[in-house]
Amino acid sequence: MGIRLGPNQYGKAENRVVRIRRDTGTPGRHEIRDLNVTTTLRGDFEDVHVTGDQAHGLPTDTQKNTAFAYAKLHGVSSPEDYALALATRLRDACTAAVEASVHVQELAWDRVPVGPDGHDHTFVRRGTEVRTTEVTVGATTTVTSGLTDLVLLKTTGSEYAGFQRDEFTTLEDAHDRILATSLTATWRHRDAGERDWDAAYAAVRAVLVETFASTHSLAMQHSLFEMGRAALEAHDDLVEVSLTAPNKHHFLVDLSPFGLDNEGEVYIAADRPYGLIEATVVRDDA
Amino acid sequence: MGIRLGPNQYGKAENRVVRIRRDTGTPGRHEIRDLNVTTTLRGDFEDVHVTGDQAHGLPTDTQKNTAFAYAKLHGVSSPEDYALALATRLRDACTAAVEASVHVQELAWDRVPVGPDGHDHTFVRRGTEVRTTEVTVGATTTVTSGLTDLVLLKTTGSEYAGFQRDEFTTLEDAHDRILATSLTATWRHRDAGERDWDAAYAAVRAVLVETFASTHSLAMQHSLFEMGRAALEAHDDLVEVSLTAPNKHHFLVDLSPFGLDNEGEVYIAADRPYGLIEATVVRDDA
Amino acid sequence: MGIRLGPNQYGKAENRVVRIRRDTGTPGRHEIRDLNVTTTLRGDFEDVHVTGDQAHGLPTDTQKNTAFAYAKLHGVSSPEDYALALATRLRDACTAAVEASVHVQELAWDRVPVGPDGHDHTFVRRGTEVRTTEVTVGATTTVTSGLTDLVLLKTTGSEYAGFQRDEFTTLEDAHDRILATSLTATWRHRDAGERDWDAAYAAVRAVLVETFASTHSLAMQHSLFEMGRAALEAHDDLVEVSLTAPNKHHFLVDLSPFGLDNEGEVYIAADRPYGLIEATVVRDDA
Amino acid sequence: MGIRLGPNQYGKAENRVVRIRRDTGTPGRHEIRDLNVTTTLRGDFEDVHVTGDQAHGLPTDTQKNTAFAYAKLHGVSSPEDYALALATRLRDACTAAVEASVHVQELAWDRVPVGPDGHDHTFVRRGTEVRTTEVTVGATTTVTSGLTDLVLLKTTGSEYAGFQRDEFTTLEDAHDRILATSLTATWRHRDAGERDWDAAYAAVRAVLVETFASTHSLAMQHSLFEMGRAALEAHDDLVEVSLTAPNKHHFLVDLSPFGLDNEGEVYIAADRPYGLIEATVVRDDA
């Protein structure tokens, strides 16, 4: 009976790297990039696990140091660009590594609205939404961009009807319901070549949000497919869009015991359970 | 040895009331108010506790029903206006109640940016920041408005120096540091008379944010006092401002082992511990 | 129109102090106390806020250093004893302080069950329940002990009936329901004199849990009062018990559409809203 | 340019199913199983996404109803047994499904210690630790058992030394450090045949905990491999063990500025960043 090491990986999770740019061309005007960085190494780490010999494992503490040092050495022009540099460095630095991944969450800040261009050095957190990227440098290099916790809600323009029924089905057809979600989306780029990653992010995010709004939804799945299709159609650079959408149920409250009608006016937002819908939309030549 | 009931209260916490307005004057154009409502009753509930006789206790389930029914019956023109109506009703409805409080958290939504005026019926969650109100109806009526989780950060314009030192002090004077917080603020109104509560909220919030930005801070306490003072000076309607501010530390990372300088460019955002600063600023005639 | 500083306080929150005892009398056998410590100072901090002069404010960083240094200097024989020493030190060390409070949460660990007495130096976290203490040293000294997140549930022996009804009441009388809560309790000691704080804690906790179990409950309020009364009756040292209990609703699921009865067998555990019941039980001579 | 649907799945997440057994053979003595159940369907859901035709998609609401109905119809003798029945039902009930997965988290309760056998119908939540199972019924049936949030800590018997160094390495060799984690583990069974799932769970959990304690650790990876190997050696029924372990760092506090030594006595428990170590140990014939 043989017992052996199977798939494994390790790294440093949630390095909270805050990078201030002070040399912005305008004296006293600063820029901020606020990142949560997780690094992961994969490769030949048999000894590290089985004999406990650490000679070919780069400490997670060193990975942390490198994440902060690279915020200075390479800078953070975008999460994608920074992650590419950091993943390449870590793959090269660790002798036993075959592949390095860097996952970045970016927290967005807006300038405090003072004066025509906003305050020079004071910022207010934009929201719950988080921009993400996952870069893997190995035999090939892949760059995925995305977002999480984008909370969307439509008060109409959403149906769910004509579904399969069995003996445990009590749900009625709904031809006008609230549709709400906290979207997680990722989109994989065709290659890792240089581009304006910030502009690319903004463009894909806008397509997703606009398509959610403009689609007359027949189901959350239907909305997700339309969103993925629209993103792929608008951006040749993308080869795959993955969408995860909890169906955050809003139930119409029965006010009839109190002699009140409720034509789509008062809802209770439920916590659990919730539908959980996941779909990937791909380009055929991907 | 006598043992007796001391202070007590009860209610229903976190009713997630979502109110859609469909009769907005523009067919198909909807408005949304998204509330988390907590009700609390105080009064003569001796029997309820000591003998278990519930005859004079209005169930929390009824309080929940009332919170939802009032979203329809009274409507939600603002959190404050809704809370006043609901607190008055609950105080009157419960025979043993002397006082009712209603606490509301409002989650903000923006229209999805489609067309010149935004989408008619699709919304995106604005951010982490939550607008709050606490209304108490009893012998007198008090209305407090506020906010929580307003995350602010300055990259400069903040000092902390000349503080008291003892044998456990290792901190150095700082004449240029990051100042960051997740602000909770409440402001008490002089009376409960009708006004434009939404406009009042926006105005006080703006003063707090602008003062945080424009104050050259000598300590978080100093910033808080200036913020409270500015709000009281700008709004005669307010008699007291309370501010709670965790000092979310951002530590400069030591990059010197790698031969790199770090003149205020790369920071680590720390989780715990954090300073916790609380101050109230009051009007003398309050 | 005068504007002035009102009530204020500051300190360092959530110092995660882990104290290992290695000199336990048995070589190689260790003990662990795992604390989350928050310090707070109150006093004459007018200058600190109004002029920004910090000369009489002891930095929160120093408070942090003191919390860790006192884990060594004074040791942690119990949260209460440690908090008393730390609060006294901080009140004395800060020239402008009139009063210092120290709040401690203790996370409990059990020895891993290896051998008759458990493993010498390996521990497993006991549970969600957290032991707490709040000590204030000022004109007088008060010691409050307590716990939070003690999750209790009875499957029967709980009623809620005969309550007040109004036009928004839909709830039916319940003569056999699940009663569940996540209890927060604090109990104030008559004085701060030395005693076996660990034994005192265990004894009061046991009375609360046993009374929750053995009381035929007519309402959550009724259970809370009985629990507080039992603790006061059993422990002369206590003068006041405060209890906060969310009523974690478990709703019987309607299985009748599927031709199934459900006599108290299948429930859904709801998240929100929840009842929130708070009561204090006091000794008359307190 | 073709755009098409890629991998997709859907279901109902976090059904909070609480099952009380009242017919335990002892009148008045109850048992409780407290589950958080997530169902997932995979199959031919092209129409559901692309045309919006829902005829072959079983609603997530029906999946919820089935989860609760099966707690009654089939009962919950163990999470695994219940999940097998529910997954089989859902795969069969949904015409387009090829595969159904059911994921269960079980929250543990202990009887309140009253009398020799504990209280008949009052329970106290055991801890943070959650028992899990994931069952998939499709072309084949797989049963994985596991746990999450098992928090373990050793005060000694842990080294990390001799690791790879590069120019960003500042970490020193450690020959005696705290090792702490919040373990997530899963173990895949050879088949889905009937067995005493509760006893199997307890046995594997015990091996994991004991091996963590008894291994002189050369790295978290080393401990994980030993734990996986021990579980596979002790239980022929298992073919694979997967372990995910955040390295919850405890840093020795530098007390030398205060003239105090600190020989492994006072630590700060850090939040972020943390090492994140993942390893799978497999049987060769798996």
Side-chain angles (χ1 to χ4, degrees), chain A residues 16 18-20 22 30 72 119 121-123 125-127 151 153-156 213 261 264-265 267 269, chain B residues 16 18-20 22 30 72 119 121-123 125-127 151 153-155 213 261 264-265 267-269:
Chain A
R16 292 283 291 105
V18 179
R19 179 64 163 94
I20 311 296
R22 292 168 182 260
H30 296 173
K72 168 72 179 178
H119 199 271
H121 60 256
T122 309
F123 302 86
R125 180 71 57 78
R126 188 178 302 158
V151 182
L153 180 148
K154 316 180 57 154
T155 54
T156 188
D261 61 15
E265 293 185 292
Y267 295 84
Chain B
R16 290 283 290 105
V18 179
R19 179 64 163 95
I20 312 295
R22 291 167 184 261
H30 296 172
K72 169 72 179 177
H119 198 272
H121 61 257
T122 310
F123 303 86
R125 179 72 56 78
R126 189 178 302 156
V151 183
L153 179 149
K154 316 180 56 154
T155 53
D261 60 16
E265 294 185 291
Y267 295 83
I268 183 166

Side-chain angles (χ1 to χ4, degrees), chain D residues 78 80-81 84 135 140-145 188-198 200 237:
Chain D
S78 70
E80 286 84 353
D81 178 71
L84 277 163
V135 167
T140 61
T141 295
T142 61
V143 180
T144 299
S145 301
R188 187 157 56 82
H189 300 276
R190 195 177 290 279
D191 60 62
E194 266 193 79
R195 74 204 69 182
D196 182 341
W197 295 106
D198 286 357
D237 168 48

Side-chain angles (χ1 to χ4, degrees), chain C residues 16 18-20 22 30 72 119 121-123 125-127 151 153-156 213 261 264-265 267 269, chain D residues 16 18-20 22 30 72 119 121-127 151 153-155 213 261 264-265 267 269:
Chain C
R16 291 284 289 104
V18 180
R19 179 64 163 95
I20 311 295
R22 292 168 182 260
H30 296 172
K72 168 71 180 177
H119 198 274
H121 61 256
T122 310
F123 302 85
R125 178 72 56 78
R126 188 178 303 157
V151 183
L153 180 147
K154 317 180 55 153
T155 54
T156 188
D261 60 15
E265 294 185 291
Y267 294 84
Chain D
R16 291 284 289 103
V18 179
R19 179 64 163 94
I20 312 296
R22 290 166 184 262
H30 296 172
K72 169 72 179 177
H119 198 272
H121 60 257
T122 310
F123 303 86
V124 56
R125 178 72 57 77
R126 188 177 304 157
V151 183
L153 180 148
K154 318 180 55 152
T155 53
D261 60 16
E265 293 185 292
Y267 294 84

Side-chain angles (χ1 to χ4, degrees), chain A residues 6-192:
Chain A
N8 63 89
Q9 62 181 28
Y10 79 109
K12 196 67 138 195
E14 302 206 36
N15 296 283
R16 292 283 291 105
V17 177
V18 179
R19 179 64 163 94
I20 311 296
R21 266 195 67 209
R22 292 168 182 260
D23 57 338
T24 59
T26 306
R29 192 161 179 91
H30 296 173
E31 290 172 0
I32 183 171
R33 305 238 40 165
D34 188 349
L35 311 179
N36 195 17
V37 180
T38 297
T39 62
T40 308
L41 295 177
R42 286 176 287 273
D44 177 13
F45 296 111
E46 185 88 6
D47 282 353
V48 162
H49 290 82
V50 178
T51 68
D53 178 348
Q54 304 301 312
H56 299 293
L58 195 68
T60 65
D61 190 76
T62 300
Q63 297 177 41
K64 176 195 72 178
N65 286 347
T66 312
F68 283 100
Y70 263 57
K72 168 72 179 178
L73 269 174
H74 184 86
V76 184
S77 71
S78 70
E80 286 85 353
D81 178 71
Y82 164 79
L84 278 163
L86 181 58
T88 302
R89 159 72 202 186
L90 291 174
R91 199 267 320 257
D92 294 348
C94 178
T95 50
V98 171
E99 192 174 279
S101 292
V102 172
H103 184 265
V104 179
Q105 300 177 304
E106 182 176 31
L107 309 175
W109 294 89
D110 291 319
R111 288 184 188 280
V112 163
V114 171
D117 302 313
H119 199 271
D120 270 358
H121 60 256
T122 309
F123 302 86
V124 56
R125 180 71 57 78
R126 188 178 302 158
T128 54
E129 183 186 338
V130 172
R131 175 177 168 184
T132 61
T133 189
E134 169 98 20
V135 167
T136 297
V137 173
T140 61
T141 295
T142 61
V143 180
T144 299
S145 302
L147 53 78
T148 190
D149 294 330
L150 172 62
V151 182
L152 293 165
L153 180 148
K154 316 180 57 154
T155 54
T156 188
S158 161
E159 305 190 37
Y160 185 59
F163 41 77
Q164 188 193 343
R165 301 186 153 277
D166 70 3
E167 67 265 40
F168 293 117
T169 303
T170 54
L171 190 70
E172 304 288 330
D173 279 4
H175 292 291
D176 190 359
R177 62 168 188 169
I178 285 186
L179 186 69
T181 192
S182 175
L183 186 71
T184 297
T186 59
W187 44 93
R188 187 157 55 83
H189 299 278
R190 195 178 290 280
D191 60 61

